[in-house]
């Protein structure tokens, strides 16, 4: 790790809880590899204290911050400017210092895109099934629309939430791109075609490792690639079911890695190479194996 001295810059994570974050592993390793005098620490911010935290960080000359649950929307009220993509997504996960205050960005979606690209998963022309209709699922649906998916099927436990997202994106892109369906009454086209499926719910996260949103075995026969945004456990039950049915499966660790790398590039102006990304991923895996 870099030696801390009088010129060391600070970056960090604000959220609640923050105790289990892997982000320090990403940024402290990147700082060491790129030779930047920077250190990254988690800051737990109690409810009702977010504005104070952002103003305080600015006064303390903090270079940049990541923002996690539950503050990704609320923090938008305390930035001096919001990047266009983050405004479209409606969530900010990265604050970058400017002279006037922090500018808000969203690196989750570009992070997922970079992860999909490195794993050789393409979007253009695909019919994509998204499981979930929370904050991340909405952003994933936007990414799919942006990158040329032919059709998006949004399956959620609460149908009304999926309908709101479908309506919003169809209006934005002026076409019937997204269809909302419920977990109990979903209907996939009756063809031999297989689909890319992005798992964007909390179902299957540690400690509930045997859970999946879709119980129906036939569902998995329709999936050529399953991409779970969960990374703990490293192989979710969703991934196991996709593989058992003959598909390829990936977890969300690379999305986490690349959202961090993009934030680091915004803070430092550095370009992180594929080789460095590989090294950081190995360090993340070491830490996760211990927990
Ligand atoms: P969110 O806004 O709280 O949405 C949660 C989603 O999960 C909703 O669709 C919800 O369905 C569904 N859900 C939760 N519990 C359920 C249950 N017991 N049965 C059925 N459905 C259930 O959460 P989010 O911020 O979108 O995050 C979603 C996932 O993305 C999380 O697992 C998170 O770890 C992951 N994530 C990964 C990364 C990464 O870098 N890899 C980054 C961000 C998020 P209802 O609408 O019916 O409640």
């Amino acid at each position: 790790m870099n030696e801390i001295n009088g010129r060391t810059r600070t970056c960090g994570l604000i959220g609640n809880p923050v105790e289990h974050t892997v982000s320090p592993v990403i940024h402290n390793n990147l700082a060491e590899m790129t030779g930047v005098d920077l250190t990254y620490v988690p800051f737990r911010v109690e409810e009702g204290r977010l504005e104070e935290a952002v103003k305080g960080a600015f006064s303390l000359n903090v270079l940049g911050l990541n923002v996690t649950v539950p503050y990704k929307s609320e923090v938008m009220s305390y930035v001096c400017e919001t990047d266009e993509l983050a405004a479209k997504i409606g969530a900010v996960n990265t604050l970058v210092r400017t002279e006037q205050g922090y500018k808000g960005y969203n690196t989750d979606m570009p992070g997922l895109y970079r992860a999909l690209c490195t794993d050789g998963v393409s979007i253009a022309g695909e019919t994509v099934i998204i499981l979930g209709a929370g904050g991340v699922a909405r952003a994933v649906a936007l990414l799919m629309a942006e990158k040329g998916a032919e059709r998006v099927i949004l399956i959620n436990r609460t149908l009304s939430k999926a309908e709101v997202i479908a309506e919003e994106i169809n209006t934005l892109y002026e076409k019937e791109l997204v269809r909302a369906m419920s977990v109990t009454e979903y209907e996939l086209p009756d063809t031999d075609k297989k689909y890319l499926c992005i798992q964007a719910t909390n179902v299957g996260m540690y400690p509930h490792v045997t859970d999946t949103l879709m119980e129906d075995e036939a569902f998995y026969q329709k999936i050529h690639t399953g991409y779970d945004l969960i990374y703990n456990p490293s192989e979710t039950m969703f991934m196991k079911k996709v593989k058992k049915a003959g598909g390829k499966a990936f977890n969300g660790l690379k999305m986490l890695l690349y959202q961090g790398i993009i934030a680091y590039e915004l803070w430092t102006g550095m370009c992180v190479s594929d080789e460095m990304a590989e090294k950081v991923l190995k360090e993340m895996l070491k830490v996760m194996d211990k927990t």
Side-chain angles (χ1 to χ4, degrees):
M1 202 162 131
N2 280 338
E3 193 182 305
I4 294 171
N5 59 62
R7 285 174 298 276
T8 304
R9 298 304 304 268
T10 306
C11 285
L13 170 72
I14 52 174
N16 190 359
V18 293
E19 286 74 13
H20 301 290
T21 179
V22 190
S23 290
V25 179
I26 303 177
H27 297 288
N28 289 321
N29 273 293
L30 285 174
E32 198 174 335
M33 282 174 202
T34 55
V36 175
D37 191 358
L38 180 154
T39 194
Y40 184 99
V41 275
F43 299 108
R44 181 190 181 114
V45 176
E46 297 299 337
E47 198 185 335
R49 309 200 72 166
L50 181 63
E51 182 173 10
E52 268 176 71
V54 174
K55 283 187 178 161
F58 192 75
S59 302
L60 289 170
N61 200 24
V62 168
L63 180 64
L65 290 166
N66 283 137
V67 185
T68 189
V69 177
Y71 299 129
K72 289 186 187 183
S73 305
E74 191 188 338
V75 79
M76 295 176 84
S77 308
Y78 309 123
V79 295
C80 66
E81 195 186 343
T82 304
D83 168 70
E84 202 181 321
L85 177 68
K88 211 169 178 182
I89 293 169
V92 157
N93 78 320
T94 300
L95 305 184
V96 178
R97 189 179 187 86
T98 72
E99 277 186 18
Q100 296 73 37
Y102 289 111
K103 180 171 176 182
Y105 289 83
N106 187 303
T107 69
D108 279 333
M109 275 320 98
L112 173 60
Y113 184 60
R114 227 143 119 176
L116 288 166
C117 292
T118 60
D119 285 328
V121 179
S122 52
I123 300 169
E126 288 280 333
T127 294
V128 184
I129 301 171
I130 300 173
L131 303 179
V136 170
R138 183 182 173 280
V140 174
L142 272 170
L143 177 70
M144 297 303 125
E146 202 65 37
K147 299 295 177 189
E150 189 182 84
R151 203 164 20 161
V152 176
I153 297 170
L154 203 55
I155 301 181
N156 197 41
R157 171 179 64 178
T158 313
L159 177 62
S160 56
K161 284 200 202 164
E163 284 172 340
V164 169
I165 296 175
E167 165 94 41
E168 204 183 341
I169 295 180
N170 291 342
T171 307
L172 196 64
Y173 287 84
E174 295 177 344
K175 56 181 175 185
E176 285 300 303
L177 180 69
V178 187
R179 260 191 79 187
M181 297 183 191
S182 78
V183 173
T184 46
E185 283 177 35
Y186 75 93
E187 210 176 294
L188 300 180
D190 189 20
T191 64
D192 292 338
K193 235 181 126 183
K194 294 196 176 200
Y195 309 111
L196 165 64
C197 177
I198 302 191
Q199 202 304 112
T201 74
N202 305 332
V203 184
M205 243 167 123
Y206 180 83
H208 306 287
V209 297
T210 55
D211 293 356
T212 47
L213 183 75
M214 307 305 285
E215 293 293 339
D216 182 3
E217 292 295 327
F219 174 81
Y220 296 92
Q221 299 290 341
K222 297 288 240 174
I223 309 302
H224 66 67
T225 306
Y227 215 96
D228 202 329
L229 303 191
I230 292 174
Y231 50 84
N232 185 14
S234 58
E235 188 176 59
T236 60
M237 188 52 78
F238 167 80
M239 290 167 64
K240 285 183 181 153
K241 288 185 176 178
V242 169
K243 282 186 185 170
K244 195 174 163 211
K248 281 192 209 163
F250 301 89
N251 67 24
L253 198 62
K254 275 198 187 158
M255 173 181 174
L256 183 71
L257 166 71
Y258 283 108
Q259 65 73 32
I261 285 179
I262 298 167
Y264 185 82
E265 289 175 337
L266 285 168
W267 294 331
T268 62
M270 309 281 301
C271 185
V272 175
S273 66
D274 291 347
E275 201 187 350
M276 284 181 199
E278 279 290 320
K279 280 190 190 160
V280 176
L281 188 63
K282 281 192 187 134
E283 294 302 320
M284 290 164 82
L285 286 167
K286 273 191 218 163
V287 171
M288 294 193 63
D289 280 348
K290 282 190 211 150
T291 53

